[in-house]
Each structure stands twice: as C-alpha cells, then as structure tokens.
C-alpha cells in the first residue's frame, strides 16, 4: 500500500489537535508520517507531540505564521507517496487512509483525489457539490476542493507546485481563503487529473459557507 505524508499546519489549538492524533492512531492503514508545522510561540505543540510520539510517526517543524507558508514548509520534509493537508481541527475515520491508498492504486491516471467532509452529526461541512462523484474541472473546483479532504500523488511534477503564500489564513493580503482551490487548479494546468468522490469523508466542524 502507498505511504502518506500528512502535513498539519497548526496554530492556537490543543484539544482539537489531540483529537486528530487520536483518529490517526486508530487508522487501519498506519504507513504514514505526520509533519506538524508549528506556528505557535509557546510549547503547546511539543507537549502534545511528546504524548503521542510513541503511537505515531510524528515530526515537528517550526514556521512563521501563514497557512500557505506553513504547508509549503511541511511539504519540503514530505517523503510519502501521497500528500494530505489535514486541518488541526479535523479527524480521520478509521478506514480512510486505507481506502484512499486503494483508490490511487486502482486509478493510476489521477494525481488528485478529494473526498467529502462531515461534522459530528453527519452534516456536510465542505465540498458541497451537487454530485457525489465527478471529475474536477475549473467550473466545479471551488465546490469540490476543501483543504482537509485533498490527497495529492507526490511526484516530480506535483513536487514543483507550492501553495501561493499570498492566499489563505494569515496571508498579508485580503484573500484569506481559497488557497487549496488555487493549488489544485495550478496542478491541473500542468496536466494532473483530479477526481472528487464523496464515498469517503473526513470529519470537520461545520463552517458557514
């Protein structure tokens, strides 16, 4: 099965990060590294990692504030076959990584998979597209891409594409979101094919959308 690099940019959260780690420790597929990109000025992340490092393959790297910047920092350390960008307040259901690994092995023509997102009540909390499965195109990319649900095949071609650091939370511009859609669209312009499938989902609190 494929290996994963889970890049978690974190700022200001503790119990939510613990919940994410707990969900990762329960995965059926455990062949992954978790790169925690710490934007905090205190030791909160180190203390949490110390509690989980026996159960998970964790690495902490420091970063200046800025979500897109932090993800780029994390990608520089990634060694897995598949990149993912779980938020520090999301969680993975138990079979997720095994299912995603199987999907990529069976669909070698695709370099990107995005899945669904649900809150604790099973209500959609991201990727609110009208279809449950479809090819991702520029016309539907804004409704089929949500950062925590993105999985990207880690190849020489995708390795060259980074997040635009002028977009996203903490960026020094008026564009405080949408960095993941920009990232996916950029990969697609190089010929990388992308697919959305709500058969699987990550857990994430519902946001106003």
């Amino acid at each position: 099965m494929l290996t994963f690099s889970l890049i978690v940019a974190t700022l200001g959260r503790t119990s939510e990060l613990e919940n994410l780690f707990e969900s990762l420790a329960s995965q059926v597929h455990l062949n992954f590294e978790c790169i925690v990109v710490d934007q905090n000025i205190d030791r909160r992340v180190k203390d949490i990692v110390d509690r989980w490092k026996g159960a998970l393959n964790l690495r902490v790297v420091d970063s200046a504030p800025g979500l897109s910047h932090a993800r780029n920092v994390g990608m520089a350390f990634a060694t897995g076959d598949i990149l993912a960008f779980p938020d520090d307040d999301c969680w993975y259901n138990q079979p997720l990584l095994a299912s995603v690994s199987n999907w990529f092995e069976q669909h070698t023509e695709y370099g990107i998979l995005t899945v669904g997102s649900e809150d604790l009540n099973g209500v959609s909390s991201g990727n609110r597209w009208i279809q449950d499965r479809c090819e991702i195109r520029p016309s539907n990319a804004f409704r089929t891409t949500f950062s925590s649900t993105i999985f990207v095949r880690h190849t020489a071609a995708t390795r060259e594409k980074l997040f635009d650091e002028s977009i996203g939370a903490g960026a020094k511009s008026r564009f405080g979101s949408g960095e993941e859609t920009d990232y996916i669209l950029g990969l697609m312009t190089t010929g990388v094919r992308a697919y959305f499938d709500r058969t699987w989902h990550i857990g994430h609190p519902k946001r106003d959308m």
Side-chain angles (χ1 to χ4, degrees), residues 133-154:
R133 302 176 188 86
C134 65
E135 188 96 4
I136 298 177
R137 305 184 186 281
S139 59
N140 64 17
F142 282 95
R143 288 293 186 179
T144 54
T145 56
F146 178 54
S147 57
S148 297
T149 71
I150 293 171
F151 297 89
V152 177
R153 202 183 293 273
H154 195 198

Side-chain angles (χ1 to χ4, degrees), residues 4-63:
F4 290 80
S5 291
L6 311 179
I7 299 165
V8 184
T10 186
L11 177 63
R13 291 194 170 113
T14 52
S15 60
E16 298 93 340
L17 190 61
E18 294 257 19
N19 290 339
L20 171 60
F21 288 168
E22 183 176 4
S23 76
L24 295 180
S26 71
Q27 289 297 296
V28 173
H29 179 75
L30 290 170
N31 198 357
F32 63 84
E33 61 183 1
C34 184
I35 302 168
V36 181
V37 188
D38 184 8
Q39 302 169 82
N40 296 286
I41 61 173
D42 55 28
R43 292 173 55 85
R44 72 183 69 189
V45 167
K46 182 182 184 305
D47 293 342
I48 296 170
V49 167
D50 284 347
R51 291 195 289 273
W52 283 97
K53 62 185 179 183
L56 296 171
N57 178 12
L58 292 170
R59 176 173 189 167
V60 179
V61 295
D62 294 329
S63 170

Side-chain angles (χ1 to χ4, degrees), residues 123-137:
V123 176
S124 178
S125 57
N127 290 349
R128 298 180 183 181
W129 185 239
I130 55 176
Q131 296 172 284
D132 287 338
R133 302 176 188 86
C134 65
E135 188 96 4
I136 298 177
R137 305 184 186 281

